[in-house]
Amino acid sequence: MKALADYVHSKGLKFGLYSDAGYKTCKGRPGSLGYETIDANTYASWGVDYLKYDNCNNDGSSPRVRYPPMTAALNQTGRPILFSMCEWGHEDPATWSVDVGNSWRTTGDIRANFSRVLENIDNNNLWADYAGPGGWNDPDMFEIGVNALTPDQEYTHFSLWAISKAPLLLALDVRNMSAHTRDVVMNKEVIAINQDSLGVQGRKRTSLNKTEIWSGPLANGDIAVLLVNRNEIPAVVTLDWAAVGLQVGQPIWVRDLWKHVDLGLMAAYAPTIAPFASIFLRVSPKPVQ
């Protein structure tokens, strides 16, 4: 296994592994419950960088009891291994996991349909106050590039996860991505919002007639703004200055992150958005002249 990890590292990538806070994994393979120290030491010796830790086939005790032993075991190895907790959000892990894991699932498993994508991000949004550098809310992996969603739905899916500072986890063979999938998951401007050093989770600010405004602050004083249309028909979405923390009528410099285009200085913005589509903006507040 170490040779495989070394090969992955030679490509400039990190190496992740899966285990379970139970006697067996969800697929019936050996879990780590009761074997945390030996497993953590083994992972460190292999060069593991990331551990997803599931919740199947356990002894019935609380995740609050079963997850900390792996935290301690990983920390004792001396190797930095990102600990991704996956207890499915059953005991509101956002409220207690900041000293246990580096990310925690806030939801059940995602499914290959847009309704479930939206359900997961709505549930994740409830816990925005608990996320920050070192500990992130996780609404589960992407359903992008697996022939489950329309192109517009995939852009919206990625945008919602990015503004929410969620882990960006692909569930596909990266060797066989289509040009469209690469365009979605390799957009450096959108990824920069997700990876912004301020680490404040963006959240839903307004919801009206199945249209939404999401926003979050960025380290340099800019604001990430996402306009979403959940309708099956086109809809006008008016950017609410006050809702995203701006002075009403204050001119702002607007950049479209998917089109990689500066839209210019604006004091109002009300685009028509296609069904299930979105517009992702980076806005820079400007002083009123």
Side-chain angles (χ1 to χ4, degrees), residues 13-85:
L13 301 171
K14 300 292 188 180
F15 184 66
L17 207 65
Y18 169 94
S19 190
D20 192 288
Y23 299 118
K24 294 181 179 180
T25 70
C26 298
K27 292 294 186 180
R29 296 179 175 88
S32 294
L33 184 62
Y35 296 89
E36 292 86 357
T37 298
I38 189 171
D39 284 357
N41 288 335
T42 301
Y43 302 153
S45 72
W46 288 342
V48 169
D49 305 297
Y50 176 102
L51 175 65
K52 177 178 177 178
Y53 207 48
D54 220 332
N55 195 32
C56 288
N57 299 306
N58 59 71
D59 61 1
S61 63
S62 169
R64 301 176 188 232
V65 174
R66 287 180 288 107
Y67 279 76
M70 181 56 82
T71 305
L74 292 172
N75 289 340
Q76 288 169 5
T77 69
R79 180 175 179 80
I81 298 176
L82 192 150
F83 189 29
S84 174
M85 298 171 53

Side-chain angles (χ1 to χ4, degrees), residues 53-154:
Y53 207 48
D54 220 332
N55 195 32
C56 288
N57 299 306
N58 59 71
D59 61 1
S61 63
S62 169
R64 301 176 188 232
V65 174
R66 287 180 288 107
Y67 279 76
M70 181 56 82
T71 305
L74 292 172
N75 289 340
Q76 288 169 5
T77 69
R79 180 175 179 80
I81 298 176
L82 192 150
F83 189 29
S84 174
M85 298 171 53
C86 182
E87 59 91 269
W88 316 320
H90 281 184
E91 293 192 15
D92 301 336
T95 64
W96 56 269
S97 295
V98 65
D99 295 321
V100 181
N102 304 114
S103 66
W104 43 81
R105 277 276 295 281
T106 55
T107 68
D109 289 350
I110 202 167
R111 296 286 185 263
N113 62 76
F114 196 54
S115 294
R116 188 57 175 262
V117 168
L118 296 177
E119 178 184 340
N120 275 32
I121 201 64
D122 284 342
N123 289 334
N124 190 77
N125 183 59
L126 300 174
W127 308 105
D129 287 340
Y130 295 92
W136 309 102
N137 292 318
D138 177 8
D140 206 4
M141 61 190 177
F142 287 123
E143 294 291 347
I144 294 173
V146 294
N147 300 315
L149 308 177
T150 68
D152 280 340
Q153 289 172 343
E154 292 192 333

Side-chain angles (χ1 to χ4, degrees), residues 1 15 51 85 104 106 140 157 162 179 207 217 228 237 256 260 270 277:
M1 190 67 75
F15 184 66
L51 175 65
M85 298 171 53
W104 43 81
T106 55
D140 206 4
H157 186 359
S207 179
V228 180
V237 183
D256 188 312
H260 305 292

Side-chain angles (χ1 to χ4, degrees), residues 216-281:
L218 302 174
N220 71 342
D222 289 355
I223 302 171
V225 176
L226 179 63
L227 310 179
V228 180
N229 177 20
R230 295 194 181 196
N231 291 282
E232 297 180 359
I233 59 174
V236 175
V237 183
T238 301
L239 176 55
D240 184 331
W241 256 233
V244 301
L246 295 167
Q247 178 184 341
V248 175
Q250 175 185 3
I252 54 172
W253 190 263
V254 180
R255 180 169 177 80
D256 188 312
L257 299 181
W258 285 112
K259 293 182 178 179
H260 305 292
V261 171
D262 287 325
L263 303 181
L265 196 62
M266 297 183 173
Y269 187 61
T272 298
I273 301 180
F276 306 124
S278 57
I279 296 177
F280 205 179
L281 307 172

Side-chain angles (χ1 to χ4, degrees), residues 156-236:
T156 298
H157 186 359
F158 199 84
S159 298
L160 285 165
W161 263 238
I163 201 168
S164 299
K165 303 297 189 291
L168 306 181
L169 304 174
L170 301 180
L172 51 78
D173 186 339
V174 296
R175 299 170 299 176
N176 298 314
M177 291 190 294
S178 68
H180 164 74
T181 298
R182 288 196 300 272
D183 181 60
V184 174
V185 305
M186 297 177 67
N187 184 314
K188 292 183 178 180
E189 292 191 71
V190 173
I191 293 172
I193 301 298
N194 179 262
Q195 298 289 302
D196 182 75
S197 62
L198 187 62
V200 174
Q201 178 174 325
R203 65 186 72 198
K204 189 187 303 187
R205 305 296 181 178
T206 69
S207 179
L208 178 66
N209 298 325
K210 298 181 73 172
T211 67
E212 299 170 352
I213 300 173
W214 296 64
S215 73
L218 302 174
N220 71 342
D222 289 355
I223 302 171
V225 176
L226 179 63
L227 310 179
V228 180
N229 177 20
R230 295 194 181 196
N231 291 282
E232 297 180 359
I233 59 174
V236 175

